[in-house]
Amino acid sequence: MKEILLRQKQVLFFIIAGGLSAVVEIGSFKIFSTYLPHFFAKEINFHGIHYPLSNIFSTSCGIITNYFLSIWFVFERGKHSKKKEFAYFMVVSFFSTLLSLGFFQVFYSFIFKDNINLFFYTLSPEMISKIAAILLVSILNYSVKKKVIFNG
């Protein structure tokens, strides 16, 4: 019973850490996608890839935030050294980033075409696409990080 409660607590902390990381990622994406096109005109559409730098920079901010929240609150240290653990985390995050970028492109290009009005805020298609990509990839991230990196 204690193991089940501990596992539920870990999932809850993972959701909270992921939520905070997502806030950092989405917030930084909003900032980057608003200001980078002023400096790089191709940022909006670089050979069919929408907001590539904004996605990469914001995802990096979210990954770094998630790493520190994960080691402080979610997972116990595994059998790996801190350097190896960090390297594994970055490799998994790199592939997660590619997956997230792919999902973003599909969502932005084919699925989310209109704004969503939430009464207090209007979500643009790029923000909806970013949020949907984060949600999809986070499910995979929990499993891989728990089993491979932190040996849970």
Side-chain angles (χ1 to χ4, degrees):
M1 184 68 171
K2 182 179 177 184
E3 186 177 312
I4 292 171
L5 289 175
L6 190 60
R7 192 173 329 136
Q8 297 304 327
K9 179 181 169 188
Q10 187 179 55
V11 170
L12 177 65
F13 282 160
F14 181 80
I15 291 169
I16 292 169
L20 291 172
S21 299
V23 166
V24 168
E25 186 171 344
I26 292 165
S28 59
F29 178 78
K30 179 65 176 171
I31 292 167
F32 290 131
S33 66
T34 300
Y35 294 106
L36 280 179
H38 296 295
F39 301 103
F40 305 104
K42 296 263 185 189
E43 172 66 2
I44 293 172
N45 186 350
F46 181 74
H47 302 289
I49 300 172
H50 306 285
Y51 301 99
L53 294 175
S54 299
N55 263 303
I56 291 168
F57 294 156
S58 66
T59 301
S60 298
C61 291
I63 288 168
I64 292 167
T65 301
N66 189 262
Y67 175 74
F68 287 109
L69 292 174
S70 291
I71 62 173
W72 290 335
F73 301 111
V74 180
F75 299 109
E76 294 179 16
R77 292 263 181 206
K79 64 181 178 184
H80 307 297
S81 68
K82 287 182 183 180
K83 286 181 183 178
K84 193 178 257 190
E85 181 182 272
F86 183 75
Y88 287 157
F89 193 94
M90 288 298 127
V91 168
V92 168
S93 295
F94 174 76
F95 287 110
S96 295
T97 299
L98 294 178
L99 197 59
S100 180
L101 292 173
F103 282 134
F104 174 84
Q105 296 306 316
V106 169
F107 292 148
Y108 186 75
S109 297
F110 303 110
I111 298 173
F112 300 114
K113 298 292 188 182
D114 299 318
N115 291 337
I116 294 179
N117 187 353
L118 300 175
F119 300 110
F120 56 90
Y121 187 77
T122 300
L123 291 172
S124 63
E126 60 266 14
M127 292 305 291
I128 300 164
S129 300
K130 184 69 173 175
I131 292 166
I134 289 170
L135 290 173
L136 242 121
V137 172
S138 66
I139 296 165
L140 174 68
N141 271 343
Y142 176 76
S143 300
V144 172
K145 289 174 183 174
K146 180 176 175 60
K147 299 293 182 195
V148 176
I149 300 171
F150 297 106
N151 302 314

